[in-house]
Amino acid sequence: MSDDQVLEGIWAKLSEVAVKGAQYNSPERHPHPKCLQGTRVDLLKYIHGFLDDTEKNQLVWLHGTAGVGKSAVAFTVAERMRGLKVTEQTKVEKRLGGTFFFSREKTERRTAGFFFATVVYQLATNFPSIRKDVKRIIRDNPALLDPNTPLCDQMEALFLKPLRLLRLRLCGCSSLSFVVDALDECTSEPELTDLILSLARALRDPDLPVTHILLTSRSESHINKVMQNEEVRSLVREIPVRTSGEGGIISLDGADVDSDICTFLRHSFKELESRHPDFPQPSVDDLAKLASRAGRRFIVASTMMKFIIDDEDNDPRDRLQLMLELTSELLPGTEVYKLYDCILSTCANPKRAYMHLSIVAALADPLPISQISSLLGPGLGRDVQTTLIQLRSVIDIPTNTSLPVNIYHSSIRDYVSKPSNCSLPERFKKVRPS
C-alpha cells in the first residue's frame, strides 16, 4: 500500500471519529436555535468586536442562566464566522476554525474525549494545506483518536501543531475563531477542567496565528473556578448575564430582551398565520403580555410558541389564551417551571405525563418510545406514545419511531429534578423514576 493510500485511510478514520453532531450546523441539532434578524444586536456586536481583534488570542466566555439564549448566540456567531473568508483572495478558507456543541443527551457530545479529533477534522477540512500534516501526525500516533488518550496530548498534537502550521499562511489575515457551546453539558467536571486548561495553554503559545475561542455555559461553580485559574484568567473576556461595554449595557436578560422576544413572537405568529389564515394576529398589548410572561427567557417564549402552534388537535386560539392567563408575578428564573406546569395540566393524565417526562429527562442515553414503554412494563408503560405526543412542545419526537426522543432544553431536567419545582397538585407527582 502506498503512503498516499495509508494517509487516505487515516483521514477516513478521522472522519469516522469526528462527532458530526457536535458541529454547529449539524442536522442532528435541528431546529437550530439562532438569533432572528434584528435581535441581540448589541450583544452580537460586542462579541464580534472581540473575535475581530487581530492582536492577541482570547477566550470569550458568555455565561448565564438556563434559557436566556446562549446556544442561539453561539450558532449565530458561528454562522457569521463561517461566512467570512480569512482573506479576500481565498476561495475556500473561512474564519471559523471549528465548533463543538456539547450535549448530555448524546454519548459522544457529553465528553471531551472526542473534542480535539472533531475540531481538527473541521480545521483541516477548512484549510486543505494542513490536511496531509494532520494525517501524518495521526499516523505517527494512532492513539490520538482514542477518546481515553490524555487531553493534553490530544491538544498538543491535534490543535496546537496544526495551528502552528497555519501561522505563516495566516500572517496579516483576519483572526481565526472556534465556537464551543454548553460547556456545562460535559458531564465530567475534571474532564471539562482539563479541556479549558488545555485550550488556555494552547492560546498562550507564541507561535499561533491570532485565534479566539467563544465558550458558552451556565454559571456553574466548577466552570467559574477554572476560569479564575491563573493560567486562564488573563485570556478570558467575560460576558456574564449583564456586563458593561463601550456602548452601554450589553445583556442577556436586560430590558432590551423584551423587545427581542416581541420580535420573535411576532415572527412566530406570522408563520402560524400561513398555516391558519383565520388565526387573528395578537394585539401589541397581547405580545407585550406574552413577552412579560417569558421573564426575559427565550426558552420560555420558544416553548410557548411550540405549545400554541405544534398541536394540531387543539385550537391555537385556546392555547394562546392559556398563555396569556399565566401570571406575570413570578420569581426570576421560575417562569419556565410555571409554563411546564401549565403544559402538564392540559394533558389527559397529568400524573402519567409528569412521570413520562421525568423518565425521558433522566435517561443517560435517550431511547425510542417503544423501548421506554418496554422499560416501564405493561402497567406504567401503556400509552407512552399517546402521553408524550401531548408533550411535544417540550419533547422532540422524531417521525421515525426507531429514533430516540429527547427533551428540547436542559431546563426540563432541572424542572423534574425536584418535586418542589412542579406546583401541580401533589397527586400528580406520586410516581417518579428512582
Side-chain angles (χ1 to χ4, degrees):
M1 186 180 292
S2 70
D3 188 54
D4 284 345
Q5 289 175 316
V6 170
L7 293 179
E8 281 309 305
I10 289 169
W11 181 256
K13 178 63 175 176
L14 176 60
S15 174
E16 291 174 6
V17 172
V19 184
K20 309 303 188 302
Q23 295 179 207
Y24 86 99
N25 56 354
S26 167
E28 183 179 289
R29 299 182 54 257
H30 274 310
H32 297 127
K34 59 182 176 180
C35 303
L36 280 177
Q37 185 75 26
T39 65
R40 298 294 168 88
V41 174
D42 290 339
L43 176 61
L44 291 170
K45 183 179 178 181
Y46 193 61
I47 293 172
H48 295 157
F50 287 127
L51 302 186
D52 291 340
D53 188 306
T54 57
E55 298 298 321
K56 57 187 179 298
N57 301 336
Q58 300 172 105
L59 285 171
V60 183
W61 179 35
L62 174 69
H63 61 97
T65 54
V68 294
K70 299 182 295 295
S71 292
V73 171
F75 178 93
T76 303
V77 170
E79 195 169 52
R80 174 184 185 260
M81 290 299 160
R82 185 70 182 85
L84 297 176
K85 296 184 289 186
V86 293
T87 69
E88 286 303 315
Q89 289 72 39
T90 185
K91 295 181 179 179
V92 177
E93 300 157 326
K94 307 294 186 178
R95 287 182 58 190
L96 184 66
T99 60
F100 198 100
F101 280 51
F102 282 97
S103 170
R104 69 178 64 229
E105 303 299 328
K106 303 290 183 179
T107 303
E108 295 177 331
R109 291 171 56 198
R110 60 172 176 248
T111 173
F114 297 95
F115 178 88
F116 288 109
T118 301
V119 167
V120 79
Y121 176 73
Q122 296 173 58
L123 184 67
T125 300
N126 188 33
F127 292 94
S129 62
I130 66 167
R131 192 175 299 176
K132 184 168 284 190
D133 295 285
V134 169
K135 296 173 189 175
R136 287 171 176 158
I137 289 168
I138 298 170
R139 179 196 62 191
D140 294 342
N141 186 1
L144 290 168
L145 299 186
D146 185 335
N148 294 313
T149 296
L151 283 178
C152 58
D153 294 344
Q154 293 184 42
M155 180 276 290
E156 176 71 31
L158 300 179
F159 192 70
L160 202 48
K161 285 184 179 179
L163 286 176
R164 285 175 182 153
L165 292 167
L166 288 170
R167 187 184 182 192
L168 290 178
R169 170 71 186 85
L170 296 179
C171 183
C173 296
S174 300
S175 54
L176 272 184
S177 293
F178 294 84
V179 177
V180 184
D181 182 58
L183 292 173
D184 52 282
E185 292 281 299
C186 179
T187 54
S188 169
E189 293 184 12
E191 196 175 90
L192 180 59
T193 296
D194 282 350
L195 175 62
I196 296 171
L197 288 172
S198 295
L199 292 174
R201 287 167 190 154
L203 292 190
R204 296 175 75 88
D205 190 285
D207 295 324
L208 258 59
V210 178
T211 302
H212 308 302
I213 305 175
L214 173 63
L215 306 170
T216 77
S217 75
R218 295 194 190 190
S219 302
E220 303 287 1
S221 59
H222 64 286
I223 300 176
N224 278 306
K225 183 178 180 181
V226 70
M227 291 298 181
Q228 296 305 314
N229 182 288
E230 62 182 55
E231 288 189 74
V232 181
R233 189 170 60 242
S234 63
L235 291 164
V236 174
R237 303 296 174 261
E238 186 176 356
I239 308 177
V241 165
R242 181 176 292 275
T243 186
S244 294
E246 289 184 2
I249 296 296
I250 308 295
S251 172
L252 277 177
D253 69 350
D256 57 311
V257 177
D258 287 338
S259 175
D260 287 351
I261 287 178
C262 276
T263 299
F264 165 76
L265 293 171
R266 193 177 300 110
H267 173 82
S268 300
F269 280 116
K270 283 292 183 184
E271 287 188 341
L272 175 60
E273 187 179 36
S274 67
R275 290 158 45 191
H276 295 272
D278 59 338
F279 180 83
Q281 289 297 296
S283 66
V284 172
D285 285 347
D286 283 346
L287 287 175
K289 284 180 183 178
L290 287 176
S292 71
R293 302 309 187 258
R296 297 173 183 169
R297 297 290 184 271
F298 265 87
I299 184 58
V300 181
S302 175
T303 304
M304 281 179 171
M305 291 311 306
K306 286 189 178 78
F307 179 72
I308 293 168
I309 292 173
D310 292 347
D311 191 338
E312 297 176 359
D313 298 327
N314 289 277
D315 190 325
R317 288 169 290 196
D318 295 338
R319 292 291 176 105
L320 171 59
Q321 191 57 42
L322 273 175
M323 295 296 96
L324 290 171
E325 291 170 2
L326 277 174
T327 177
S328 59
E329 297 177 359
L330 302 172
L331 292 173
T334 68
E335 301 87 0
V336 74
Y337 296 166
K338 300 302 179 185
L339 175 57
Y340 295 153
D341 285 348
C342 180
I343 291 169
L344 282 172
S345 71
T346 65
C347 295
N349 187 332
K351 173 183 174 180
R352 187 175 293 274
Y354 181 85
M355 177 191 70
H356 289 164
L357 180 63
S358 300
I359 290 168
V360 171
L363 287 171
D365 293 302
L367 296 174
I369 287 176
S370 59
Q371 291 185 35
I372 294 173
S373 181
S374 298
L375 180 70
L376 292 173
L380 296 176
R382 71 180 187 276
D383 298 329
V384 170
Q385 182 166 356
T386 302
T387 302
L388 291 185
I389 284 175
Q390 297 172 64
L391 295 170
R392 57 189 162 201
S393 57
V394 296
I395 295 178
D396 180 23
I397 304 175
T399 52
N400 183 341
T401 56
S402 66
L403 296 177
V405 296
N406 283 290
I407 56 175
Y408 275 123
H409 196 265
S410 58
S411 57
I412 287 285
R413 195 179 299 110
D414 299 337
Y415 173 66
V416 299
S417 65
K418 296 179 182 178
S420 60
N421 290 337
C422 175
S423 60
L424 290 173
E426 192 63 30
R427 67 179 184 277
F428 290 169
K429 301 181 290 181
K430 295 293 185 184
V431 183
R432 288 179 47 78
S434 59

